[in-house]
Amino acid sequence: MARIREFDEQKALTEAMHLFWEKGYEATSLSDLTARMGIRKPSLYAAYGDKSSLFEAALRKYNHLHAQQVRERLKCETSVKEAFRKLFHEGAFPGSVQGRSGCFCVNTMVELAPHDARFEILTREHQQYLAVMFEETLARGVASGELGEIGDKRAVAQTLVASFIGITVLKKSNPDPAWIGNCIDTALTLLPDPKGNGSCSSKLGGIYEKRP
């Protein structure tokens, strides 16, 4: 008869996700993981496999949560332009865990994807999924009349994803807010107004003030 596990696997996985997110794969030891997850090594191995398998499970969980948050944030604003602007400025998890830790998926893309095919695939798939959501949002803006016609929505969506990723990485170094604001403004000039002019040059007053 299989032994019933004496801990919440999903709760422990969430703790592992946050630890890997904060420290990265290499800098996180098994001792770090068992302490954070509140379990012993035999339980970790039995439930999740080795460290690499646990990391993969944690990344999959993060990607699901991140995609869910991005979708909700793109849908919560009536204005497509405003939805993109707030997403780029605040990130998928505004005012919470993201901060200086950046995006767990992007961090993995930098640390592991160049050397491990599994993580190359997982990070690329997440980028592609974000591009699909961005493309759907662009289509919504065109259909509502807020945006002008966009010749290649897929290419624009992919470019916006690249900008979103780049801005997320920049935020890890605590850059001048004015620099981030300029990056966002320039990226959003890809969203044309109905008359065919780039129309995302307005700023959210005060957000992009320079540091004293």
Side-chain angles (χ1 to χ4, degrees), residues 11 18 22-23 27 31 36 41 49 70 75 85 87 91-92 121 133 136-137 141 153-154 159 161 179 185 187 196:
K11 182 178 179 180
H18 282 287
E22 294 164 12
K23 299 184 67 173
S31 296
R36 182 72 167 260
K41 287 182 182 180
V70 169
K75 287 185 174 182
R85 181 176 293 282
L87 176 65
I121 292 169
M133 287 191 285
E136 290 172 352
T137 305
K153 294 185 186 68
R154 177 170 297 180
T159 303
V161 169
W179 185 3
D185 287 336

Side-chain angles (χ1 to χ4, degrees), residues 3-188:
R3 183 178 178 182
I4 298 175
R5 295 197 174 112
E6 300 175 349
F7 64 94
D8 185 327
E9 290 187 40
Q10 285 303 309
K11 182 178 179 180
L13 180 60
T14 298
E15 292 298 331
M17 180 191 76
H18 282 287
L19 185 59
F20 280 131
W21 188 355
E22 294 164 12
K23 299 184 67 173
Y25 180 77
E26 292 296 340
T28 303
S29 68
L30 285 173
S31 296
D32 293 334
L33 288 164
T34 53
R36 182 72 167 260
M37 298 167 74
I39 61 177
R40 297 182 178 181
K41 287 182 182 180
S43 297
L44 186 154
Y45 290 129
Y48 310 102
D50 59 12
K51 177 183 171 183
S52 180
S53 297
L54 174 58
F55 186 90
E56 181 178 345
L59 178 61
R60 288 183 182 277
K61 184 178 185 70
Y62 173 87
N63 284 352
H64 173 75
L65 293 172
H66 187 260
Q68 185 178 58
Q69 283 293 105
V70 169
R71 183 175 291 279
E72 289 177 1
R73 291 184 64 71
L74 288 174
K75 287 185 174 182
C76 72
E77 297 288 336
T78 302
S79 166
V80 164
K81 296 176 185 178
E82 190 67 11
F84 275 118
R85 181 176 293 282
K86 286 189 174 181
L87 176 65
F88 277 42
H89 176 66
E90 299 176 359
F93 304 100
S96 61
V97 293
Q98 194 157 320
R100 296 289 293 275
S101 295
C103 171
F104 183 18
C105 184
V106 174
N107 296 346
T108 303
M109 178 180 68
V110 174
E111 183 183 14
L112 297 181
H115 317 291
D116 190 316
R118 287 178 303 163
F119 298 113
E120 176 188 346
I121 292 169
L122 279 175
T123 56
R124 183 171 64 241
E125 286 178 344
H126 188 58
Q127 294 162 35
Q128 292 170 340
Y129 189 54
L130 292 178
V132 169
M133 287 191 285
F134 280 25
E135 186 175 351
E136 290 172 352
T137 305
L138 293 173
R140 189 174 86 236
V142 173
S144 71
E146 180 186 3
L147 302 181
E149 286 299 322
I150 301 173
D152 191 339
K153 294 185 186 68
R154 177 170 297 180
V156 171
Q158 291 171 344
T159 303
L160 289 173
V161 169
S163 298
F164 181 46
I165 290 172
I167 289 167
T168 301
V169 173
L170 277 174
K171 287 179 180 178
K172 293 182 67 174
S173 64
N174 195 28
D176 188 328
W179 185 3
I180 294 296
N182 288 335
C183 291
I184 293 172
D185 287 336
T186 301
L188 296 186

